[in-house]
Amino acid sequence: METLLNRNFKVKGIIECSYIPSSGVYTEHLEGIEVQVWCKVPMQAILLGKAFTDSNGEYILEFEMDSPVSYIDDGKIKDVFIKTYYNGEEINPISLDNDAAAYFDELTPQPSLTFKVAVNDLVKQLKEQNSWQYLDRLWIFATEYQQHATISLKNPTTGTLTEISSPTWTTGLGYNGNGSSQYLDTNFAPATGGQYALNNASFGIYSRTNSNSGTPVDIGVYTGTYANSIQARTSNVLQPRINCASSGSIANTDSRGLFSVTRSSSTLFSAYKNGVLQADVSNTSTALATNKFFIMANCSNGTASNWSTRQYSLAFIGTGNIDQTKLYLVLQAFANTLGFNV
C-alpha cells in the first residue's frame, strides 16, 4: 500500500506591465491580473492553482499536492510555467533568448523595454538566418547608455572594447572620433580572437556619415605587411582588405551604410555595401594579424593611425560563413526599429 503525503506550496510574485506608446515606456501595476501556475507532465498540463494581483501588482498563490508523484523531485515541482490573463484575455510576456539575457546581464543600468525587445528580436533573427553561430563579436554602439556600447552582444563577458581618449558617444546613434587621437580598441586580435581564420573570416562596420576627406580607416588592424581594414570612402574609392597585403579599389561616393569584407578562399575576398556584393578581389591570403582591431582608426603595428571622424552605430567580426545579404537585412531592420538607420 502506497502512502501519500500532502505537500503545501506557496508562490509569491509581482507583475509589472509596460506600455510602449510613441512618447516612451511606462510601467504600471494592475489589479486583477489572473495568474495561473501550471505543471507539464507527460501528455498533459496540470493547473496547480491561480490567484489575482492586488493594486501593487503582487499576488500570493497557495495549493496542496499529494506526494509522491513523478513531477515532484526533492520537494520541488518540475516543469512549472505561468499563464496570465487580464479581462479574460491571455497576456503573452516577452520570452527572452538566453544569449540576449546574458548580454543584458552585463549592462548597467538596465535598458528600456523597447531596447530589450529590439535586441531580443535581433538575436532570434540572427539565429534563424544561421549568422549568430559564426559571429565572434557584435557591438551595438547606438545604445541608450554609453556603458552598453562597450559590450559585445555576442560573447558579452569577454568582448568588451576600450574607449581611447574619450571619443564622442551620442545616445541612440553611436561613436565618432576627432580625427586625431580618439578611437575604440576592440581587444580582438585576428590571430587569437576566436573563430576568425585565415581563409574563413569577415568583419564590418555601420557608418552614419558621408565624408570623402583624408584617408580614414573605419575599422582596421595592420601587422607587418598584412592587414584587415575597411576604408569606406577615400577619394571616392572603397578600399577593403582581409588577411592580405594589398587592398581592393572599388568606386564609391557615399560612406554611409553597412560595409563588410569577407574571405572564404585563399585566393580572393569579397567586399559588400548594404548586403550587396561590390566586387570579388583576387588577392592571396598571407597571415593573421597579431595586433588588435581598432575602430575609428587603424591599428598599425600596435599604434593608432588614419583616424576617422565618422559616426558608427555597430560593428561585427566573425567567419566567412555569414551571408552578408541576410545579415544586412536583419541589422538594417534593427536600425530602423531603434532609429539610427541611414
Side-chain angles (χ1 to χ4, degrees):
M1 177 177 174
E2 185 178 30
T3 301
L4 295 179
L5 300 175
N6 290 331
R7 291 182 179 268
N8 296 311
F9 294 86
K10 178 183 287 188
V11 179
K12 300 172 65 175
I14 184 170
I15 293 179
E16 292 184 341
C17 300
S18 296
Y19 304 87
I20 316 176
S22 59
S23 56
V25 179
Y26 300 91
T27 299
E28 293 185 12
H29 298 114
L30 293 181
E31 183 176 5
I33 294 178
E34 182 180 348
V35 181
Q36 298 181 356
V37 176
W38 292 74
C39 173
K40 293 180 181 178
V41 296
M43 305 301 292
Q44 64 175 317
I46 299 174
L47 176 62
L48 302 179
K50 59 184 179 180
F52 292 87
T53 58
D54 60 21
S55 58
N56 295 316
E58 298 177 348
Y59 65 89
I60 299 176
L61 188 155
E62 296 184 74
F63 56 90
E64 183 179 279
M65 298 185 65
D66 292 333
S67 180
V69 288
S70 60
Y71 47 86
I72 295 182
D73 183 18
D74 194 25
K76 299 177 182 179
I77 306 175
K78 299 184 294 183
D79 297 323
V80 171
F81 63 97
I82 288 178
K83 290 185 177 182
T84 52
Y85 296 83
Y86 187 65
N87 289 336
E89 295 188 10
E90 186 173 4
I91 304 170
N92 294 312
I94 301 171
S95 177
L96 276 185
D97 179 273
N98 289 337
D99 288 303
Y103 168 68
F104 298 139
D105 286 344
E106 300 302 313
L107 306 186
T108 305
Q110 282 295 291
S112 69
L113 181 62
T114 301
F115 186 81
K116 283 189 173 183
V117 170
V119 170
N120 193 57
D121 288 345
L122 173 62
V123 172
K124 290 181 176 180
Q125 290 164 5
L126 289 171
K127 289 182 177 182
E128 288 172 1
Q129 67 174 222
N130 206 31
S131 294
W132 180 261
Q133 64 175 315
Y134 298 122
L135 288 167
D136 284 316
R137 300 288 187 272
L138 174 56
W139 292 281
I140 302 167
F141 304 141
T143 51
E144 298 169 331
Y145 299 94
Q146 190 166 352
Q147 184 266 352
H148 300 182
T150 66
I151 307 298
S152 173
L153 176 58
K154 181 68 182 286
N155 296 317
T157 60
T158 57
T160 303
L161 54 75
T162 305
E163 301 169 349
I164 306 298
S165 299
S166 302
T168 299
W169 175 82
T170 303
T171 304
L173 298 178
Y175 285 107
N176 60 276
N178 59 5
S180 61
S181 62
Q182 297 173 336
Y183 63 95
L184 302 172
D185 182 343
T186 68
N187 297 305
F188 183 97
T192 58
Q195 301 177 89
Y196 195 94
L198 181 62
N199 297 314
N200 188 18
S202 66
F203 60 93
I205 192 157
Y206 193 101
S207 165
R208 300 192 69 257
T209 306
N210 186 23
S211 63
N212 193 41
S213 59
T215 57
V217 170
D218 303 285
I219 178 172
V221 56
Y222 174 87
T223 299
T225 60
Y226 45 94
N228 304 262
S229 62
I230 291 174
Q231 292 176 277
R233 185 185 177 196
T234 298
S235 299
N236 290 327
V237 172
L238 164 63
Q239 295 180 319
R241 56 182 168 176
I242 181 168
N243 298 338
C244 56
S246 59
S247 63
S249 183
I250 306 160
N252 180 47
T253 58
D254 195 332
S255 59
R256 292 173 296 182
L258 179 67
F259 293 85
S260 59
V261 57
T262 181
R263 179 183 285 276
S264 55
S265 164
S266 63
T267 57
L268 63 82
F269 65 82
S270 303
Y272 291 82
K273 178 181 179 181
N274 293 335
V276 177
L277 177 66
Q278 303 299 296
D280 288 322
V281 180
S282 295
N283 199 304
T284 302
S285 58
T286 52
L288 289 169
T290 56
N291 293 311
K292 299 174 291 183
F293 270 106
F294 288 173
I295 294 171
M296 298 190 295
N298 190 34
C299 176
S300 181
N301 292 311
T303 302
S305 65
N306 301 83
W307 295 271
S308 172
T309 60
R310 293 177 183 136
Q311 186 175 65
Y312 304 104
S313 295
L314 58 81
F316 75 89
I317 301 172
T319 75
N321 303 96
I322 299 170
D323 185 313
Q324 296 298 313
T325 301
K326 292 181 179 179
L327 178 66
Y328 167 73
L329 292 174
V330 168
L331 293 179
Q332 185 66 5
F334 177 70
N336 292 339
T337 298
L338 294 183
F340 64 84
N341 56 297
V342 292

